[in-house]
Each structure stands twice: as structure tokens, then as C-alpha cells.
């Protein structure tokens, strides 16, 4: 998933669409950070009374979804406040 965001970002920078490039790099960073988030979630899953496989699958999806939702919020805030590159 992160590769798709990174490849898209690369295309946008070549087309001189820097705002879209910054947005896609934010999503790429969030997707890559999903692995770190998963490693934070898994030790906490020991406290749950469910099977490991079920918790792992749920935590894996949740680590991406939460990070991408935060990235979306960051991009929206940047748009509202005009904090993207102008050139």
C-alpha cells in the first residue's frame, strides 16, 4: 500500500503538482508507520480475551486505518490553513 502512495507521489512531483505530492507523501508515511503501530497494538492485545489470529487481523487493519485517518486529517488541516507548498 505504501508503494502505491509513494509511486503516485513521484508522478505528481514530476508533473509539478507539489500540493498533491505532499498529500501523497503524508499518506505514504502513514502507511509505512502502520507497521510500527501494529507493534504497539499487539502487546496490548494480550489483555483481550480473543484468539490471537482474530486479534492480529483486526489490529493489522486498524493500524492502517487509524494512521490513514490521521493523515487525512493532517492534509485537511493543511488545506484549511494554507500550509502546503505554493511552488
Amino acid at each position: 500500500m505504501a508503494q502505491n502512495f509513494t509511486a503516485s507521489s513521484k508522478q505528481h512531483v514530476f508533473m509539478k503538482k507539489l500540493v498533491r505530492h505532499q498529500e501523497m507523501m503524508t499518506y505514504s508515511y502513514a502507511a509505512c508507520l502502520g507497521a510500527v503501530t501494529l507493534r504497539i497494538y499487539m502487546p496490548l492485545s494480550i489483555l483481550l480475551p480473543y484468539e490471537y489470529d482474530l486479534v492480529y487481523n483486526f489490529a493489522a487493519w486498524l493500524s492502517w486505518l487509524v494512521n490513514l485517518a490521521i493523515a487525512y486529517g493532517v492534509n485537511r488541516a493543511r488545506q484549511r490553513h494554507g500550509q502546503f507548498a505554493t511552488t
Side-chain angles (χ1 to χ4, degrees):
M1 179 182 285
Q3 293 172 346
N4 293 338
F5 290 125
T6 306
S8 177
S9 176
K10 184 178 176 182
Q11 289 175 339
H12 289 297
V13 81
F14 286 137
M15 294 185 297
K16 308 272 190 234
K17 296 181 180 179
L18 296 184
V19 170
R20 190 68 179 146
H21 165 73
Q22 287 178 331
E23 290 175 344
M24 297 312 294
M25 285 306 295
T26 302
Y27 289 126
S28 177
Y29 180 77
C32 289
L33 196 62
V36 175
T37 306
L38 178 62
R39 269 113 186 128
I40 293 170
Y41 287 168
M42 288 315 296
L44 299 175
S45 70
I46 295 171
L47 304 172
L48 299 174
Y50 301 108
E51 292 182 30
Y52 177 80
D53 292 341
L54 175 67
V55 173
Y56 183 84
N57 289 334
F58 182 74
W61 278 103
L62 191 62
S63 66
W64 272 358
L65 290 176
V66 170
N67 287 352
L68 291 173
I70 291 170
Y72 177 79
V74 167
N75 284 337
R76 294 286 297 185
R78 284 183 186 157
Q79 286 174 349
R80 271 187 255 120
H81 298 299
Q83 294 178 346
F84 281 113
T86 56
T87 58

Coordinates of all heavy atoms in Angstrom, one line a residue:
M1 N 0.8 -1.2 0.0 CA 0.0 0.0 0.0 C 0.9 1.3 0.0 O 0.6 2.2 -0.7 CB -0.9 0.0 1.2 CG -1.8 1.3 1.2 SD -2.9 1.4 2.6 CE -4.1 0.2 2.2
A2 N 1.9 1.3 0.8 CA 2.8 2.5 0.9 C 3.4 2.7 -0.5 O 3.7 3.8 -0.8 CB 3.8 2.3 2.0
Q3 N 3.7 1.6 -1.2 CA 4.4 1.8 -2.5 C 3.5 2.5 -3.5 O 3.9 3.3 -4.3 CB 4.7 0.4 -3.1 CG 5.8 -0.3 -2.3 CD 6.0 -1.7 -2.7 OE1 5.2 -2.3 -3.5 NE2 7.1 -2.3 -2.3
N4 N 2.1 2.2 -3.4 CA 1.2 2.9 -4.3 C 1.2 4.4 -4.0 O 1.2 5.2 -4.9 CB -0.2 2.4 -4.1 CG -0.3 0.9 -4.6 OD1 0.5 0.5 -5.4 ND2 -1.3 0.2 -4.1
F5 N 1.2 4.8 -2.7 CA 1.2 6.2 -2.4 C 2.5 6.9 -2.8 O 2.5 8.0 -3.3 CB 1.0 6.4 -0.8 CG -0.4 6.1 -0.4 CD1 -0.5 5.2 0.6 CD2 -1.5 6.7 -0.9 CE1 -1.8 4.9 1.1 CE2 -2.7 6.4 -0.4 CZ -2.9 5.5 0.6
T6 N 3.6 6.2 -2.6 CA 4.9 6.7 -3.0 C 5.0 6.9 -4.5 O 5.5 7.9 -5.0 CB 6.0 5.8 -2.4 OG1 5.9 5.6 -1.0 CG2 7.4 6.4 -2.7
A7 N 4.6 5.9 -5.2 CA 4.6 5.9 -6.7 C 3.8 7.1 -7.2 O 4.2 7.8 -8.1 CB 4.2 4.6 -7.3
S8 N 2.6 7.2 -6.6 CA 1.7 8.3 -7.0 C 2.3 9.7 -6.7 O 2.3 10.6 -7.5 CB 0.4 8.2 -6.3 OG -0.5 9.3 -6.6
S9 N 3.0 9.7 -5.6 CA 3.7 11.0 -5.2 C 4.8 11.3 -6.1 O 4.9 12.5 -6.5 CB 4.2 10.8 -3.8 OG 5.0 11.9 -3.4
K10 N 5.5 10.3 -6.6 CA 6.6 10.6 -7.5 C 6.0 11.1 -8.9 O 6.6 12.0 -9.4 CB 7.3 9.2 -7.8 CG 8.5 9.4 -8.7 CD 9.2 8.0 -8.8 CE 10.4 8.1 -9.8 NZ 11.0 6.7 -9.9
Q11 N 4.9 10.5 -9.3 CA 4.3 11.0 -10.5 C 3.9 12.5 -10.4 O 4.1 13.3 -11.3 CB 3.1 10.2 -10.9 CG 3.4 8.8 -11.4 CD 2.2 8.0 -11.6 OE1 1.1 8.3 -11.1 NE2 2.3 6.9 -12.4
H12 N 3.3 12.8 -9.3 CA 2.8 14.2 -9.0 C 4.0 15.2 -9.0 O 3.8 16.3 -9.5 CB 2.0 14.3 -7.8 CG 0.7 13.6 -7.9 ND1 -0.3 14.0 -8.8 CD2 0.1 12.6 -7.3 CE1 -1.4 13.3 -8.7 NE2 -1.1 12.4 -7.8
V13 N 5.1 14.8 -8.4 CA 6.2 15.8 -8.4 C 6.8 16.0 -9.8 O 7.2 17.1 -10.1 CB 7.3 15.3 -7.4 CG1 8.2 14.3 -7.9 CG2 8.1 16.5 -6.9
F14 N 6.8 15.0 -10.6 CA 7.3 15.1 -12.0 C 6.3 16.0 -12.8 O 6.7 16.7 -13.7 CB 7.5 13.8 -12.7 CG 8.7 13.1 -12.2 CD1 8.6 11.7 -12.0 CD2 9.9 13.7 -12.0 CE1 9.8 11.0 -11.6 CE2 11.0 13.0 -11.6 CZ 11.0 11.7 -11.4
M15 N 5.0 16.0 -12.4 CA 4.1 16.8 -13.1 C 3.9 18.2 -12.5 O 3.1 19.0 -12.9 CB 2.7 16.2 -13.1 CG 2.6 14.9 -14.0 SD 1.0 14.1 -14.1 CE 0.6 13.7 -12.4
K16 N 4.8 18.5 -11.5 CA 4.9 19.8 -10.9 C 3.6 20.1 -10.0 O 3.3 21.2 -9.8 CB 5.1 21.0 -11.8 CG 6.3 20.8 -12.7 CD 7.6 21.3 -12.1 CE 8.7 21.3 -13.2 NZ 9.8 20.7 -12.8
K17 N 3.0 19.0 -9.6 CA 1.8 19.2 -8.7 C 2.3 18.9 -7.3 O 2.1 17.9 -6.7 CB 0.7 18.2 -9.1 CG 0.1 18.4 -10.5 CD -0.9 17.4 -10.8 CE -1.5 17.6 -12.2 NZ -2.5 16.6 -12.5
L18 N 2.9 20.0 -6.7 CA 3.6 19.8 -5.4 C 2.6 19.6 -4.2 O 2.9 18.9 -3.3 CB 4.5 21.0 -5.2 CG 5.7 21.1 -6.1 CD1 6.6 22.2 -5.7 CD2 6.4 19.8 -6.2
V19 N 1.5 20.2 -4.3 CA 0.5 20.1 -3.2 C 0.0 18.6 -3.1 O 0.0 18.0 -2.1 CB -0.7 21.1 -3.4 CG1 -1.8 20.7 -2.4 CG2 -0.2 22.5 -3.2
R20 N -0.3 18.1 -4.3 CA -0.8 16.7 -4.3 C 0.4 15.8 -3.9 O 0.2 14.8 -3.3 CB -1.3 16.4 -5.7 CG -2.0 15.0 -5.8 CD -3.3 15.1 -5.1 NE -3.9 13.7 -5.2 CZ -4.6 13.2 -4.3 NH1 -4.8 13.8 -3.1 NH2 -5.1 12.0 -4.4
H21 N 1.6 16.1 -4.3 CA 2.8 15.3 -3.9 C 2.9 15.3 -2.4 O 3.1 14.2 -1.8 CB 4.0 15.9 -4.5 CG 5.3 15.5 -3.9 ND1 5.8 14.2 -4.2 CD2 6.2 16.1 -3.1 CE1 7.0 14.1 -3.5 NE2 7.2 15.2 -2.8
Q22 N 2.7 16.4 -1.8 CA 2.8 16.5 -0.3 C 1.7 15.7 0.3 O 2.0 15.0 1.3 CB 2.8 17.9 0.2 CG 4.0 18.7 -0.1 CD 3.9 20.2 0.3 OE1 2.8 20.7 0.4 NE2 5.0 20.8 0.7
E23 N 0.5 15.7 -0.2 CA -0.6 14.9 0.3 C -0.2 13.4 0.3 O -0.4 12.7 1.2 CB -1.9 15.2 -0.4 CG -2.4 16.6 -0.1 CD -3.6 16.9 -1.0 OE1 -3.9 16.2 -2.0 OE2 -4.4 17.8 -0.7
M24 N 0.2 13.0 -0.9 CA 0.5 11.6 -1.1 C 1.7 11.1 -0.2 O 1.7 10.0 0.2 CB 0.8 11.3 -2.6 CG -0.4 11.6 -3.5 SD -2.0 10.9 -2.9 CE -1.7 9.2 -3.0
M25 N 2.7 12.0 0.0 CA 3.8 11.6 0.9 C 3.3 11.5 2.3 O 3.8 10.6 3.0 CB 4.9 12.6 0.7 CG 5.7 12.5 -0.6 SD 6.3 10.8 -0.9 CE 7.5 10.6 0.5
T26 N 2.3 12.3 2.7 CA 1.8 12.1 4.0 C 1.1 10.8 4.2 O 1.2 10.1 5.2 CB 0.8 13.3 4.3 OG1 1.5 14.5 4.2 CG2 0.2 13.2 5.7
Y27 N 0.3 10.4 3.2 CA -0.3 9.1 3.2 C 0.7 7.9 3.2 O 0.5 6.9 3.8 CB -1.3 8.9 2.0 CG -2.5 9.8 2.1 CD1 -2.9 10.6 1.1 CD2 -3.3 9.7 3.3 CE1 -4.0 11.4 1.2 CE2 -4.5 10.5 3.4 CZ -4.8 11.3 2.4 OH -6.0 12.1 2.5
S28 N 1.8 8.1 2.4 CA 2.8 7.1 2.3 C 3.5 6.9 3.7 O 3.7 5.8 4.1 CB 3.9 7.5 1.3 OG 4.9 6.6 1.2
Y29 N 3.8 8.0 4.3 CA 4.4 8.0 5.7 C 3.4 7.3 6.6 O 3.9 6.4 7.4 CB 4.7 9.4 6.2 CG 5.3 9.4 7.5 CD1 6.7 9.1 7.7 CD2 4.6 9.7 8.6 CE1 7.2 9.1 9.0 CE2 5.1 9.8 9.9 CZ 6.5 9.4 10.1 OH 7.0 9.4 11.3
A30 N 2.2 7.6 6.6 CA 1.2 7.0 7.5 C 1.1 5.5 7.2 O 1.0 4.7 8.2 CB -0.2 7.6 7.2
A31 N 1.1 5.0 5.9 CA 1.0 3.6 5.6 C 2.3 2.9 6.1 O 2.2 1.8 6.7 CB 0.8 3.4 4.1
C32 N 3.4 3.5 6.0 CA 4.7 2.9 6.4 C 4.7 2.8 8.0 O 5.2 1.8 8.5 CB 5.9 3.6 6.0 SG 6.2 3.5 4.2
L33 N 4.2 3.8 8.6 CA 4.1 3.8 10.1 C 3.1 2.8 10.6 O 3.1 2.5 11.8 CB 3.8 5.2 10.6 CG 4.1 5.5 12.0 CD1 5.6 5.4 12.3 CD2 3.6 6.9 12.4
G34 N 2.3 2.2 9.7 CA 1.4 1.2 10.2 C 2.1 0.0 10.8 O 1.5 -0.6 11.7
A35 N 3.2 -0.3 10.3 CA 4.0 -1.4 10.9 C 4.4 -1.2 12.3 O 4.3 -2.0 13.2 CB 5.2 -1.7 10.0
V36 N 4.8 0.1 12.6 CA 5.1 0.5 14.0 C 3.9 0.4 14.9 O 3.9 -0.1 16.0 CB 5.8 1.9 14.0 CG1 6.1 2.3 15.4 CG2 7.1 1.9 13.1
T37 N 2.8 1.0 14.3 CA 1.5 1.0 15.1 C 1.1 -0.4 15.4 O 0.6 -0.7 16.5 CB 0.5 1.7 14.3 OG1 0.9 3.0 13.9 CG2 -0.8 1.9 15.1
L38 N 1.3 -1.4 14.5 CA 0.9 -2.7 14.7 C 1.7 -3.3 15.9 O 1.2 -4.0 16.7 CB 1.1 -3.6 13.5 CG 0.8 -5.1 13.6 CD1 -0.7 -5.3 14.0 CD2 1.1 -5.8 12.3
R39 N 3.0 -3.0 15.9 CA 3.8 -3.5 17.0 C 3.5 -2.9 18.4 O 3.8 -3.4 19.4 CB 5.3 -3.3 16.7 CG 5.9 -4.4 16.0 CD 6.3 -4.1 14.6 NE 6.7 -5.2 13.8 CZ 6.2 -5.5 12.7 NH1 5.2 -4.8 12.2 NH2 6.7 -6.5 11.9
I40 N 2.8 -1.8 18.3 CA 2.3 -1.2 19.6 C 1.0 -1.9 20.0 O 0.8 -2.1 21.2 CB 2.1 0.4 19.4 CG1 3.5 1.0 19.2 CG2 1.4 0.9 20.6 CD1 3.4 2.5 18.8
Y41 N 0.2 -2.1 19.0 CA -1.1 -2.8 19.3 C -1.0 -4.2 19.8 O -1.8 -4.6 20.7 CB -2.0 -2.8 18.1 CG -2.6 -1.4 17.7 CD1 -3.2 -1.3 16.4 CD2 -2.6 -0.3 18.5 CE1 -3.7 -0.1 16.0 CE2 -3.1 0.9 18.1 CZ -3.7 1.0 16.8 OH -4.2 2.2 16.4
M42 N -0.1 -5.0 19.3 CA 0.0 -6.4 19.6 C 0.3 -6.7 21.1 O -0.4 -7.6 21.6 CB 1.0 -7.1 18.7 CG 0.5 -7.2 17.2 SD -1.2 -7.8 17.1 CE -1.2 -9.4 17.7
P43 N 1.2 -6.0 21.7 CA 1.3 -6.3 23.2 C 0.1 -6.0 24.0 O -0.2 -6.6 24.9 CB 2.5 -5.5 23.6 CG 3.3 -5.2 22.4 CD 2.3 -5.2 21.2
L44 N -0.6 -5.0 23.5 CA -1.9 -4.6 24.2 C -3.0 -5.6 24.0 O -3.9 -5.8 24.8 CB -2.3 -3.2 23.7 CG -1.4 -2.1 24.0 CD1 -1.9 -0.8 23.3 CD2 -1.2 -1.9 25.5
S45 N -2.8 -6.4 22.9 CA -3.9 -7.4 22.6 C -3.9 -8.6 23.6 O -4.8 -9.3 23.6 CB -3.7 -7.9 21.2 OG -2.5 -8.7 21.1
I46 N -2.8 -8.7 24.3 CA -2.7 -9.8 25.3 C -3.9 -9.7 26.3 O -4.4 -10.7 26.9 CB -1.4 -9.9 26.0 CG1 -0.3 -10.2 25.0 CG2 -1.3 -10.8 27.1 CD1 1.1 -10.0 25.5
L47 N -4.3 -8.4 26.5 CA -5.3 -8.2 27.5 C -6.7 -8.6 27.0 O -7.6 -8.6 27.8 CB -5.3 -6.7 27.9 CG -4.0 -6.1 28.4 CD1 -4.1 -4.6 28.5 CD2 -3.6 -6.8 29.7
L48 N -6.9 -8.8 25.7 CA -8.2 -9.2 25.2 C -8.4 -10.7 25.3 O -7.5 -11.5 25.0 CB -8.3 -8.7 23.7 CG -8.1 -7.2 23.5 CD1 -8.1 -6.9 22.0 CD2 -9.2 -6.4 24.2
P49 N -9.7 -11.1 25.5 CA -10.0 -12.5 25.6 C -10.3 -13.2 24.3 O -11.3 -14.0 24.3 CB -11.2 -12.5 26.6 CG -11.9 -11.2 26.2 CD -10.8 -10.2 25.9
Y50 N -9.6 -12.8 23.2 CA -9.9 -13.4 21.9 C -8.7 -14.2 21.4 O -7.6 -14.0 21.9 CB -10.3 -12.3 20.9 CG -11.5 -11.5 21.4 CD1 -11.4 -10.2 21.8 CD2 -12.8 -12.1 21.3 CE1 -12.5 -9.4 22.2 CE2 -13.9 -11.3 21.7 CZ -13.7 -10.0 22.2 OH -14.8 -9.3 22.6
E51 N -9.0 -15.0 20.3 CA -7.9 -15.7 19.7 C -6.9 -14.8 19.1 O -7.2 -13.7 18.6 CB -8.4 -16.7 18.7 CG -9.3 -17.8 19.2 CD -9.8 -18.7 18.1 OE1 -9.0 -18.8 17.1 OE2 -10.8 -19.3 18.2
Y52 N -5.6 -15.2 19.1 CA -4.5 -14.4 18.6 C -4.7 -14.1 17.1 O -4.5 -12.9 16.7 CB -3.2 -15.1 18.7 CG -2.0 -14.4 18.1 CD1 -1.4 -13.4 18.8 CD2 -1.5 -14.7 16.9 CE1 -0.4 -12.6 18.3 CE2 -0.5 -14.0 16.3 CZ 0.1 -13.0 17.1 OH 1.2 -12.3 16.5
D53 N -5.2 -15.0 16.3 CA -5.3 -14.8 14.8 C -6.4 -13.7 14.6 O -6.2 -12.8 13.7 CB -5.7 -16.0 14.1 CG -4.6 -17.0 14.1 OD1 -3.5 -16.6 14.3 OD2 -4.9 -18.2 13.8
L54 N -7.5 -13.7 15.3 CA -8.5 -12.7 15.1 C -8.0 -11.4 15.6 O -8.2 -10.4 14.8 CB -9.8 -13.1 16.0 CG -10.9 -12.1 16.0 CD1 -11.5 -12.0 14.6 CD2 -11.9 -12.5 17.0
V55 N -7.4 -11.3 16.7 CA -6.9 -10.0 17.2 C -5.8 -9.5 16.2 O -5.8 -8.3 15.9 CB -6.3 -10.1 18.6 CG1 -5.6 -8.9 19.1 CG2 -7.4 -10.5 19.6
Y56 N -4.9 -10.3 15.7 CA -3.9 -9.9 14.8 C -4.4 -9.3 13.5 O -4.0 -8.2 13.1 CB -2.9 -11.0 14.5 CG -1.8 -10.6 13.6 CD1 -0.6 -10.0 14.2 CD2 -1.8 -10.7 12.2 CE1 0.4 -9.6 13.4 CE2 -0.8 -10.3 11.4 CZ 0.3 -9.7 12.0 OH 1.4 -9.3 11.2
N57 N -5.4 -10.0 12.9 CA -6.0 -9.5 11.7 C -6.7 -8.1 12.0 O -6.6 -7.2 11.2 CB -7.0 -10.5 11.2 CG -6.4 -11.7 10.6 OD1 -5.2 -11.6 10.1 ND2 -7.0 -12.8 10.6
F58 N -7.4 -8.0 13.0 CA -8.1 -6.8 13.4 C -7.1 -5.7 13.6 O -7.2 -4.5 13.1 CB -9.0 -7.0 14.6 CG -9.8 -5.8 15.0 CD1 -10.9 -5.3 14.2 CD2 -9.4 -5.0 16.1 CE1 -11.6 -4.2 14.6 CE2 -10.1 -3.9 16.4 CZ -11.2 -3.5 15.7
A59 N -6.0 -6.0 14.4 CA -5.0 -4.9 14.7 C -4.3 -4.5 13.4 O -3.9 -3.3 13.3 CB -4.1 -5.5 15.7
A60 N -4.0 -5.4 12.5 CA -3.3 -5.1 11.3 C -4.1 -4.1 10.5 O -3.6 -3.1 10.0 CB -3.1 -6.4 10.5
W61 N -5.4 -4.3 10.3 CA -6.3 -3.4 9.6 C -6.4 -2.1 10.3 O -6.4 -1.0 9.8 CB -7.6 -4.0 9.3 CG -7.6 -4.9 8.1 CD1 -7.6 -6.2 8.1 CD2 -7.6 -4.5 6.7 NE1 -7.6 -6.7 6.8 CE2 -7.5 -5.6 6.0 CE3 -7.5 -3.2 6.1 CZ2 -7.5 -5.6 4.6 CZ3 -7.5 -3.2 4.7 CH2 -7.5 -4.3 4.0
L62 N -6.6 -2.2 11.6 CA -6.8 -1.0 12.4 C -5.5 -0.1 12.4 O -5.6 1.1 12.4 CB -7.1 -1.4 13.9 CG -7.6 -0.3 14.8 CD1 -8.9 0.3 14.3 CD2 -7.8 -0.8 16.2
S63 N -4.3 -0.7 12.4 CA -3.1 0.1 12.3 C -3.0 1.0 11.1 O -2.6 2.1 11.1 CB -1.9 -0.8 12.5 OG -1.7 -1.6 11.4
W64 N -3.5 0.4 9.9 CA -3.5 1.2 8.7 C -4.6 2.2 8.7 O -4.4 3.4 8.4 CB -3.7 0.3 7.5 CG -2.5 -0.2 6.9 CD1 -1.2 0.0 7.3 CD2 -2.4 -1.1 5.8 NE1 -0.3 -0.7 6.5 CE2 -1.0 -1.4 5.6 CE3 -3.3 -1.8 5.0 CZ2 -0.6 -2.3 4.6 CZ3 -2.9 -2.6 4.0 CH2 -1.5 -2.8 3.8
L65 N -5.8 1.8 9.1 CA -7.0 2.7 9.1 C -6.8 3.9 10.0 O -7.1 5.1 9.6 CB -8.2 2.0 9.4 CG -8.7 0.9 8.4 CD1 -9.9 0.2 8.9 CD2 -9.0 1.6 7.1
V66 N -6.3 3.7 11.2 CA -6.1 4.8 12.1 C -5.1 5.8 11.6 O -5.3 7.0 11.5 CB -5.7 4.3 13.5 CG1 -5.3 5.5 14.4 CG2 -6.9 3.6 14.1
N67 N -3.9 5.3 11.1 CA -2.9 6.1 10.6 C -3.3 6.9 9.3 O -3.0 8.1 9.2 CB -1.6 5.3 10.2 CG -0.9 4.8 11.5 OD1 -1.2 5.2 12.6 ND2 0.1 4.0 11.3
L68 N -4.0 6.2 8.4 CA -4.5 6.9 7.2 C -5.6 8.0 7.6 O -5.7 9.0 6.9 CB -5.0 5.9 6.2 CG -3.9 5.1 5.6 CD1 -4.5 4.0 4.7 CD2 -3.0 5.9 4.8
A69 N -6.4 7.7 8.6 CA -7.4 8.7 9.0 C -6.7 9.9 9.6 O -7.1 11.1 9.3 CB -8.3 8.1 10.0
I70 N -5.7 9.7 10.3 CA -4.9 10.8 10.9 C -4.2 11.6 9.8 O -4.2 12.8 9.8 CB -3.9 10.3 11.9 CG1 -4.6 9.8 13.2 CG2 -2.9 11.4 12.3 CD1 -3.7 9.1 14.2
A71 N -3.7 10.9 8.8 CA -3.0 11.6 7.6 C -4.1 12.4 6.9 O -3.8 13.5 6.4 CB -2.4 10.5 6.7
Y72 N -5.3 11.8 6.7 CA -6.3 12.6 6.1 C -6.6 13.9 6.8 O -6.8 15.0 6.2 CB -7.6 11.7 5.9 CG -8.8 12.5 5.3 CD1 -8.9 12.6 4.0 CD2 -9.8 13.0 6.2 CE1 -9.9 13.3 3.4 CE2 -10.9 13.6 5.6 CZ -10.9 13.8 4.2 OH -12.0 14.5 3.7
G73 N -6.7 13.8 8.1 CA -7.0 14.9 9.0 C -5.8 16.0 8.9 O -6.1 17.2 8.8
V74 N -4.6 15.5 8.8 CA -3.5 16.4 8.7 C -3.6 17.1 7.3 O -3.4 18.3 7.2 CB -2.1 15.6 8.8 CG1 -1.0 16.5 8.3 CG2 -1.9 15.2 10.2
N75 N -3.9 16.4 6.3 CA -4.0 17.0 4.9 C -5.1 18.0 4.9 O -5.0 19.1 4.3 CB -4.1 16.0 3.8 CG -2.9 15.2 3.5 OD1 -1.8 15.8 3.7 ND2 -3.0 14.1 3.0
R76 N -6.2 17.7 5.5 CA -7.4 18.6 5.5 C -7.0 19.9 6.3 O -7.3 21.0 5.9 CB -8.6 18.0 6.1 CG -9.2 16.9 5.3 CD -9.9 17.3 4.1 NE -11.0 18.1 4.6 CZ -11.9 18.6 3.8 NH1 -11.9 18.4 2.5 NH2 -12.9 19.4 4.3
A77 N -6.3 19.7 7.4 CA -5.9 20.9 8.2 C -4.9 21.8 7.4 O -5.0 23.0 7.5 CB -5.3 20.4 9.5
R78 N -4.0 21.2 6.7 CA -3.1 21.9 5.9 C -3.8 22.7 4.8 O -3.5 23.8 4.5 CB -2.1 21.0 5.2 CG -1.0 20.5 6.1 CD 0.0 19.7 5.3 NE 1.0 19.1 6.2 CZ 1.7 18.0 5.8 NH1 1.4 17.4 4.7 NH2 2.6 17.5 6.6
Q79 N -4.8 22.1 4.2 CA -5.6 22.8 3.2 C -6.3 24.0 3.8 O -6.3 25.1 3.1 CB -6.6 21.8 2.5 CG -6.0 20.8 1.6 CD -7.1 19.8 1.1 OE1 -8.2 19.8 1.6 NE2 -6.7 19.0 0.2
R80 N -6.9 23.8 4.9 CA -7.7 24.9 5.5 C -6.8 26.1 5.9 O -7.1 27.2 5.8 CB -8.4 24.4 6.8 CG -9.8 23.9 6.4 CD -10.6 23.6 7.7 NE -10.6 22.1 7.8 CZ -10.1 21.4 8.8 NH1 -9.6 22.0 9.8 NH2 -10.2 20.1 8.8
H81 N -5.6 25.8 6.4 CA -4.6 26.8 6.8 C -3.6 27.2 5.8 O -2.8 28.0 6.1 CB -3.9 26.3 8.1 CG -4.9 26.0 9.2 ND1 -5.7 27.0 9.8 CD2 -5.1 24.9 9.9 CE1 -6.4 26.4 10.8 NE2 -6.1 25.1 10.8
G82 N -3.7 26.7 4.6 CA -2.8 27.0 3.5 C -1.3 26.7 3.8 O -0.5 27.5 3.5
Q83 N -1.1 25.6 4.4 CA 0.3 25.2 4.8 C 1.0 24.3 3.8 O 2.1 23.8 4.1 CB 0.3 24.6 6.1 CG -0.1 25.5 7.2 CD -0.2 24.8 8.6 OE1 -0.1 23.6 8.7 NE2 -0.3 25.6 9.6
F84 N 0.5 24.2 2.6 CA 1.1 23.4 1.5 C 2.1 24.3 0.8 O 2.0 25.5 0.8 CB 0.1 22.8 0.6 CG -0.5 21.6 1.1 CD1 -1.9 21.6 1.4 CD2 0.2 20.4 1.3 CE1 -2.5 20.4 1.8 CE2 -0.4 19.3 1.7 CZ -1.8 19.3 2.0
A85 N 3.0 23.7 0.1 CA 4.0 24.4 -0.8 C 3.2 25.2 -1.9 O 2.2 24.7 -2.4 CB 5.0 23.5 -1.4
T86 N 3.7 26.3 -2.2 CA 3.0 27.1 -3.2 C 3.7 27.1 -4.6 O 3.1 27.5 -5.6 CB 2.9 28.6 -2.8 OG1 4.2 29.1 -2.6 CG2 2.1 28.8 -1.6
T87 N 4.8 26.5 -4.7 CA 5.5 26.4 -6.0 C 5.6 25.0 -6.4 O 5.5 24.0 -5.7 CB 6.9 27.0 -5.9 OG1 7.7 26.3 -4.9 CG2 6.9 28.5 -5.6

